[in-house]
Amino acid sequence: MTASREGPTIRSTFGPSSVRGPLVAAEAPISIEPGARVGPYEVVRPLGRGAHGQVYEARPAVDATDGRSADDTPAVALKVLHGLPEEARARLAREARAHAELRSPFVVPLLGTGEATLDSDESRVLWLAFELVVGGTLRAAMDDPSDPFDEERIASVGLELGRGLQALHAAGLVHRDLKPANVLVGDDGRCRIADLGMIRELGLLDASLASAELSSAGGFVGTVAYASPEQIEGREAGPQCDFWALGAILFELLAGAPPFARPNPFACAKAICVDRVPLGLVPVRWRPLLQRLLARDPARRLASADELVHELDLLLAAPSTAPRNRSGVQWLLRYGRTWESPGPLGRILVAAGAAALVLLLLWLVSLPASS
């Protein structure tokens, strides 16, 4: 039994036999009001919005809980996607099935997926129900100056993400959009990989520069900073692109900014494909691992997530050091260039500085000696 509710109601349709024709984009962004039904779930409140969908906190509807109150059942994070073509819907269903079979404490579990139709305009949507993680994102933790990361904590984060990638890759999945905003940190302190790359695989999240985000201050904080060279160049991206992204996250945790952070996403993308990794900005013991994770050629990166977990286990077992003062390093990465590849203006400035230094020395030599 379903009680009447204010706002749009949604009825569920499941399985290929209930689908007639391709999914099409709604004329306006879909907004689902609290209390509306999406499949077996009832929306509680919105959590976030993207270009092709929204995420809501939701609970199983009363008629889907064997008569129990919805308040007595666990809440979920319900992602509702719209505007999907038929091929994208089929590929999403395949990868969702693989994701649903994952059993890893370091990947946010997928609890179910299905299709639903908006009663208001007959627009069909896809929904995916994930475990609702109480906590925050790794991005928020990294931006909190009151709780800095020491090397032991950084190694723990890397190990948890490495084990999450281990599970994903073993299931035949590649994330393709691993970044701090897509890592959830629960109240228990454990990192969990979220927002899986099935959406990126479907082309719904463009890996091009158009998907970049800029902060209000103009500093780059979006996807490109963690994208691998092969993704930026439009080449095939396999599991090794996830290793690159993890390397960029670890570098940022150690140095204060991603390795190729620049004032704008275009310069960032160029640096990823051309510049050398400024390994001198991170502790010496991290450099061999980061050099392999951030190798421009995917074939030169780590061969598997098993190897990654082994390397991070060794780092975690080694003595850690205190958190570093990273403000200067962060400025250099965001607004400077690495010495390995100075631009034309940089070469001119270096030459001018050297000439000025020579003239100063000559002037000092020419001064008469004091009696």
Side-chain angles (χ1 to χ4, degrees):
M1 180 178 69
T2 304
S4 61
R5 305 174 179 88
E6 295 183 355
T9 59
I10 298 177
R11 65 175 181 269
S12 175
T13 56
F14 299 94
S17 61
S18 63
V19 178
R20 297 180 181 177
L23 291 162
V24 296
E27 295 181 359
I30 294 175
S31 179
I32 302 175
E33 299 295 330
R37 179 78 175 263
V38 181
Y41 295 99
E42 187 175 284
V43 170
V44 176
R45 63 188 177 96
L47 296 176
R49 178 182 294 272
H52 285 269
Q54 298 80 38
V55 181
Y56 300 89
E57 179 182 342
R59 291 184 180 275
V62 174
D63 60 354
T65 60
D66 299 324
R68 290 175 294 162
S69 169
D71 293 335
D72 298 331
T73 57
V76 301
L78 190 69
K79 175 173 284 190
V80 180
L81 302 171
H82 60 90
L84 305 183
E86 188 75 17
E87 179 182 0
R89 181 187 60 79
R91 295 176 68 182
L92 174 60
R94 289 197 300 270
E95 295 204 6
R97 284 194 293 270
H99 181 189
E101 295 175 1
L102 283 177
R103 294 294 181 269
S104 170
F106 307 106
V107 179
V108 178
L110 176 65
L111 306 176
T113 182
E115 300 178 20
T117 301
L118 294 175
D119 280 344
S120 56
D121 58 4
E122 298 298 315
S123 297
R124 288 197 304 278
V125 297
L126 293 179
W127 58 265
L128 300 97
F130 296 90
E131 178 183 283
L132 183 64
V133 178
V134 178
T137 65
L138 180 60
R139 174 80 275 155
M142 292 166 66
D143 291 341
D144 181 3
S146 67
D147 190 18
F149 285 74
D150 60 21
E151 288 188 42
E152 182 178 358
R153 186 180 177 191
I154 293 170
S156 295
V157 168
L159 185 59
E160 290 172 351
L161 296 182
R163 287 173 173 162
L165 291 178
Q166 199 175 30
L168 286 176
H169 295 173
L173 297 172
V174 181
H175 194 290
R176 294 183 178 86
D177 193 26
L178 186 63
K179 57 185 178 182
N182 283 344
V183 176
L184 301 182
V185 183
D187 287 346
D188 57 2
R190 188 173 77 245
C191 291
R192 301 160 173 85
I193 297 175
D195 207 5
L196 293 191
M198 63 175 78
I199 309 304
R200 178 169 295 281
E201 173 68 13
L202 298 174
L204 301 180
L205 296 177
D206 190 359
S208 70
L209 298 178
S211 69
E213 299 171 1
L214 294 175
S215 71
S216 57
F220 180 73
V221 295
T223 299
V224 177
Y226 309 95
S228 64
E230 61 268 26
Q231 288 175 287
I232 291 174
E233 294 172 355
R235 295 184 279 122
E236 182 179 356
Q240 276 67 33
C241 76
D242 289 341
F243 298 155
W244 174 284
L246 178 55
I249 293 172
L250 292 174
F251 189 103
E252 182 175 4
L253 285 165
L254 291 162
F260 300 104
R262 294 294 185 268
N264 64 74
F266 301 95
C268 177
K270 179 181 177 183
I272 288 172
C273 296
V274 175
D275 290 353
R276 296 182 184 178
V277 182
L279 292 174
L281 300 175
V282 300
V284 173
R285 72 191 189 108
W286 285 85
R287 294 176 191 175
L289 175 61
L290 290 176
Q291 189 169 30
R292 295 192 66 191
L293 289 173
L294 296 171
R296 188 166 291 115
D297 181 359
R300 298 183 62 185
R301 294 178 207 150
L302 296 177
S304 69
D306 295 340
E307 188 178 0
L308 170 63
V309 168
H310 174 71
E311 294 291 336
L312 287 165
D313 265 326
L314 295 178
L315 278 169
L316 188 59
S320 63
T321 59
R324 308 172 72 199
N325 185 342
R326 305 179 298 174
S327 57
V329 174
Q330 191 169 15
W331 185 92
L332 175 64
L333 283 166
R334 286 192 181 279
Y335 301 107
R337 280 184 174 270
T338 61
W339 286 107
E340 288 86 351
S341 57
L345 179 59
R347 289 192 289 269
I348 293 173
L349 292 175
V350 170
L357 181 60
V358 170
L359 291 174
L360 177 62
L361 292 174
L362 291 175
W363 178 75
L364 291 174
V365 170
S366 66
L367 290 177
S370 60
S371 56

